[in-house]
Amino acid sequence: MSLHGRPGYHSLEIESGALPFRTLRNAMSATPAPSDHRLAAIHAAVETHRPRPGALLPMLHAIQDALGWVPPEAIPVIATALNQSRAEIHGVVSFYHHFRTTPPGRHVVQVCRAESCQAKGGVALEEHAKRSLGIDWHQTTPDGAISLEPVYCLGNCACSPAIRVGDEILGRVSCARFDRIVEGLREEVPA
Amino acid sequence: MSIRIFVPMDSGALSVGAGDVAQAIAAEATVRGIDIELVRNGSRGMYWLEPLVEVDTHAGRLAFGPVTAEDVPALFDAGFHEGGMHRLGHGLTEHIPFLAGQERLTFRRVGITDPLSLADYEAHGGFEGLLKAVGLDGAAIVKEVTDSGLRGRGGAAFPTGIKWNTVLHAAGPDKYVVCNADEGDSGTFSDRMLMEGDPYCLIEGMTIAGLAVGARHGYIYLRSEYPHAFHTLQQAIAKAREAGWLGPDVAGSGRSFELEVRLGAGAYVCGEETAMLESLEGKRGIVRFKPPLPAIQGLFGKPTVINNVMSLAAVPLILARGAAFYRDYGMGRSHGTLPFQLAGNLRHPGLVEKAFGITLRELLLDYGGGSASGRPIRAVQVGGPLGAYVPESQFDVPLDYEAYAAMGAMIGHGGLVAFDDTADMARLARYAMEFCATESCGKCTPCRIGSTRGVEVIDRIIAGEARDANLALLDSLCDTMLNGSLCALGGMAPYPVKSALTHFPQDFGIAPVTAE
């Protein structure tokens, strides 16, 4: 199951020599079987937001906030509630970078790739992040602690380079500070 | 009397430890038995000093920064809370040259007040504009905004009043006000600062827009990269509603206006107004054809005012002080002020609100303090990822919409990203195309395919493969994207590429053209 529906994205990744990671990512993202807990969270999110005009994005946010990703079994539930086709829902999920269709690691670390961060050593930080974690963008470390994502501006351009961990924005992130942050995250016991 | 100490809640300040500093100050004050009132304000916009701690004194607020949690005991030892000197002290905040030289209209309260305190907001001129608007009919409000000369601050610089007038005269009982808070341009953060530091200002501006055009519902489309702004706005909306500034009877006017924040989901193209409407309707963020204009057929097919955060936040003051007051700032057809955002490789990055007409050189050197690395500034990207790279030879052109357009650049949302002389302009040009490819909505071919081909062609130029042929190809490709794309994403991605090529050809392996 690949939701790489973003136009232009596909070919670029391949041409920049990143082909192996897609294979790897698919292999790593063995989708856990649906559970009652997950289905309950999906139904709750769908019911809460169903009456709102333009309810789909609020529903998807609520599901991802509760579960960390949008599991495949959410698609038919949403489609039925909104009287849309599964293809339409799938199309929306795959369009937006924010929505995940594979379970993330315990922490999602986003590294800003935009210009202001580039002007302050962001490219070195990107490379350091990938090398030190041993993974590429959109992958999760083998211990399941950290998923690495690129992000295009966190609005923290006066404190570049910036990263985001969960809902926390961190600025002036040197490679050394990145390592300390990651170390802290690894030590956190999963809830 | 307890001593008022300010530690910002702004996400930029938090990103460098303001949360820990606030905790440390509270804990230290308790241990020492000192009675303090800790206020979590917005940021003053002097980010190199963040976390910036301020202490209220008879003479005014004293600034200390950048403060770490470890500095806190020493600050108390030095009696900073009673005006004592410390090596991190900068004297009166208002006297710091970076702030003293600014013309803060839209940002007049940011960093000064408690963002969620309605009492603070009103004490600093808040709701004066709305109270004035309540006594006017829609046409009179629109006239005031039109006369102020305010133009869209999101980048397109379309006159705000003219847009409002179209919606005012559009038929139908259901109309919407949508605030574009999808501040996706890299190097920009003024929307975020205002939403986190003075959210009622945006709420007031949107409510005035609602009264002006006869809309009863407003949406703030906020990017998901701004979690702190999301929480602040939600709390502010709830408080404003409870106090009667929003809801069924706005400020006792008998007219209703409801406001809601909706989160985007990490798609840059949703900053394009029609893609944003699609997203709000729960669809893929695909750009719409225009016409119909959103002012006639916008959200859910209804007439819709769409404005940027900075445009809407300028409105309360325009109503409160009158169109002429605002119009007198600026130059030519660029009236008022613009909150410029200084980012990238600068010693003093931050927010500088100035009237139009200031030059890049003044902003970069007088305010920005030159490069952080101490090396010469080589290029500045003005106006986000689709903005041109401006070389040093153009630093003296006044920042005015028309003057910038004349030199093939744009002011956009007022973001400036400075690069020193280590920047590789060919790599940055490649990045512009790569970014466009990642973020293209895919509807039109020039943007969808052109950006990917653009990356390939630039790669070949950098590698020195058939350079002349590929340069001609890149030129033709840029021309197609510029003229053939449906929206600004594909239509402007060539700007950074072409400006980098024109001003820094040596980075592409081309000998610079020397004057005859």
Side-chain angles (χ1 to χ4, degrees):
Chain A
M1 188 195 67
S2 169
L3 293 186
H4 266 165
R6 288 165 212 142
Y9 192 77
H10 229 131
S11 46
L12 253 188
E13 292 295 358
I14 292 166
E15 278 145 27
S16 61
L19 181 60
F21 95 70
R22 286 190 64 236
T23 328
L24 219 148
R25 175 178 184 253
N26 288 343
M28 281 173 46
S29 58
T31 308
S35 64
D36 289 346
H37 151 72
R38 259 159 55 184
L39 274 172
I42 291 162
H43 281 285
V46 168
E47 284 315 307
T48 306
H49 296 286
R50 199 220 286 264
R52 303 172 75 179
L56 182 49
L57 262 68
M59 280 179 186
L60 293 172
H61 274 295
I63 292 169
Q64 183 153 309
D65 287 349
L67 302 174
W69 61 305
V70 180
E73 65 267 25
I75 307 291
V77 179
I78 298 171
T80 306
L82 296 179
N83 196 24
Q84 286 183 292
S85 71
R86 280 179 293 168
E88 282 171 303
I89 307 303
H90 172 90
V92 171
V93 174
S94 63
F95 181 85
Y96 294 96
H97 300 300
H98 178 81
F99 297 124
R100 307 183 60 95
T101 51
T102 53
R106 290 198 300 281
H107 303 280
V108 177
V109 174
Q110 294 180 310
V111 178
C112 180
R113 292 197 62 208
E115 288 88 345
S116 180
C117 290
Q118 289 187 39
K120 293 277 285 173
V123 177
L125 180 65
E126 286 174 38
E127 278 157 17
H128 175 79
K130 290 186 200 173
R131 200 176 43 243
S132 63
L133 296 173
I135 53 176
D136 207 332
W137 299 128
H138 310 295
Q139 293 182 352
T140 302
T141 52
D143 63 356
I146 288 157
S147 295
L148 185 65
E149 301 286 346
V151 67
Y152 297 90
C153 198
L154 293 164
N156 198 25
C157 318
C159 299
S160 294
I163 68 170
R164 175 176 175 177
V165 179
D167 269 354
E168 203 178 343
I169 315 286
L170 298 155
R172 295 181 206 145
V173 182
S174 60
C175 293
R177 186 172 183 213
F178 182 86
D179 291 343
R180 285 197 299 276
I181 292 163
V182 166
E183 203 177 316
L185 295 176
R186 282 218 157 105
E187 280 165 11
E188 267 178 42
V189 187
Chain B
M1 254 299 266
S2 58
I3 302 158
R4 275 159 69 92
I5 297 182
F6 298 80
V7 183
M9 266 290 256
D10 173 275
S11 54
L14 292 175
S15 83
V16 289
D20 293 341
V21 171
Q23 272 185 12
I25 288 176
E28 197 69 25
T30 309
V31 170
R32 294 175 188 238
I34 299 167
D35 181 20
I36 65 160
E37 181 195 348
L38 196 60
V39 181
R40 304 305 302 274
N41 54 338
S43 171
R44 294 277 199 158
M46 298 183 286
Y47 280 99
W48 76 98
L49 294 178
E50 292 288 2
L52 179 83
V53 175
E54 289 179 275
V55 180
D56 209 5
T57 69
H58 293 301
R61 277 154 69 161
L62 294 172
F64 298 85
V67 177
T68 63
E70 292 75 44
D71 293 323
V72 169
L75 280 168
F76 275 98
D77 288 344
F80 87 120
H81 55 291
E82 292 160 332
M85 302 292 277
H86 185 272
R87 66 179 172 82
L88 294 174
H90 301 277
L92 290 169
T93 315
E94 304 282 349
H95 290 180
I96 296 174
F98 186 91
L99 264 188
Q102 297 195 30
E103 293 158 298
R104 287 204 166 185
L105 302 184
T106 304
F107 275 73
R108 65 198 180 283
R109 276 179 299 264
V110 176
I112 294 173
T113 54
D114 173 349
L116 288 170
S117 162
L118 281 164
D120 246 14
Y121 186 67
E122 288 175 62
H124 289 81
F127 295 121
E128 281 174 16
L130 178 57
L131 288 171
K132 195 132 169 222
V134 162
L136 299 172
D137 67 9
I141 302 173
V142 171
K143 184 172 185 306
E144 203 65 28
V145 174
T146 308
D147 291 348
S148 75
L150 177 67
R151 292 164 71 178
R153 298 288 187 247
F158 187 82
T160 305
I162 293 179
K163 204 186 263 185
W164 287 22
N165 198 46
T166 309
V167 179
L168 170 67
H169 290 104
D174 293 321
K175 298 177 185 178
Y176 294 99
V177 176
V178 174
C179 171
N180 186 344
D182 193 60
E183 189 177 46
D185 286 349
S186 49
T188 66
F189 46 85
S190 59
D191 295 356
R192 177 187 61 69
M193 277 184 71
L194 185 112
M195 291 185 287
E196 292 176 354
D198 194 17
Y200 296 124
C201 182
L202 175 60
I203 293 171
E204 184 180 354
M206 289 186 74
T207 310
I208 293 170
L211 294 176
V213 304
R216 286 171 304 183
H217 205 110
Y219 287 96
I220 299 170
Y221 185 85
L222 179 73
R223 63 199 302 253
S224 58
E225 289 83 351
Y226 285 179
H228 295 284
F230 182 61
H231 294 300
T232 306
L233 282 171
Q234 281 194 312
Q235 291 177 65
I237 289 171
K239 282 178 176 245
R241 198 172 189 282
E242 201 176 314
W245 296 107
L246 286 171
D249 180 20
V250 171
S253 66
R255 293 144 83 183
S256 75
F257 191 71
E258 298 287 355
L259 198 51
E260 198 181 316
V261 194
R262 285 287 176 94
L263 271 185
Y268 175 77
V269 75
C270 289
E272 196 283 333
E273 60 178 8
T274 61
M276 182 181 65
L277 295 178
E278 291 286 300
S279 185
L280 274 172
E281 292 180 6
K283 302 173 194 158
R284 295 164 70 96
I286 306 274
V287 174
R288 293 179 185 171
F289 285 107
K290 286 192 275 194
L293 292 172
I296 309 283
Q297 231 174 295
L299 185 64
F300 303 116
K302 306 294 182 195
T304 304
V305 166
I306 304 172
N307 285 133
N308 179 257
V309 176
M310 287 297 111
S311 314
L312 289 161
V315 166
L317 189 73
I318 291 169
L319 266 288
R321 305 285 283 272
F325 170 80
Y326 192 79
R327 195 185 175 85
D328 283 348
Y329 288 88
M331 68 174 281
R333 288 170 50 217
S334 303
H335 298 283
T337 58
L338 188 68
F340 293 98
Q341 299 123 85
L342 275 50
N345 197 329
L346 289 175
R347 217 151 67 87
H348 296 162
L351 185 121
V352 178
E353 182 172 354
K354 285 293 279 183
F356 287 95
I358 190 171
T359 66
L360 220 43
R361 196 179 302 279
E362 291 171 82
L363 284 170
L364 296 170
L365 301 182
D366 299 352
Y367 288 92
S371 75
S373 59
R375 306 179 68 97
I377 295 176
R378 188 171 188 219
V380 180
Q381 190 175 33
V382 182
L386 311 176
Y389 283 103
V390 178
E392 208 257 339
S393 61
Q394 293 178 332
F395 283 1
D396 294 310
V397 176
L399 282 146
D400 157 273
Y401 290 124
E402 278 66 39
Y404 258 61
M407 68 177 203
M410 59 139 186
I411 296 177
H413 191 52
L416 317 174
V417 180
F419 291 85
D420 71 9
D421 62 354
T422 61
D424 178 346
M425 302 311 293
R427 202 178 49 73
L428 285 164
R430 183 193 190 277
Y431 173 84
M433 284 290 189
E434 184 189 353
F435 177 75
C436 182
T438 305
E439 298 295 337
S440 175
C441 84
K443 182 161 181 165
C444 72
T445 315
C447 174
R448 184 184 67 243
I449 307 289
S451 51
T452 299
R453 295 290 96 91
V455 174
E456 297 164 358
V457 176
I458 294 174
D459 277 342
R460 288 201 291 269
I461 293 169
I462 294 172
E465 282 175 44
R467 195 167 269 149
D468 288 345
N470 278 309
L471 279 168
L473 191 60
L474 181 61
D475 201 49
S476 164
L477 177 68
C478 284
D479 182 62
T480 304
M481 290 177 70
L482 222 118
N483 294 297
S485 298
L486 194 53
C487 81
L489 178 49
M492 292 176 63
Y495 278 11
V497 177
K498 292 193 80 151
S499 57
L501 254 172
T502 306
H503 302 300
F504 309 97
Q506 62 275 28
D507 289 24
F508 296 80
I510 308 161
V513 181
T514 45
E516 301 272 311

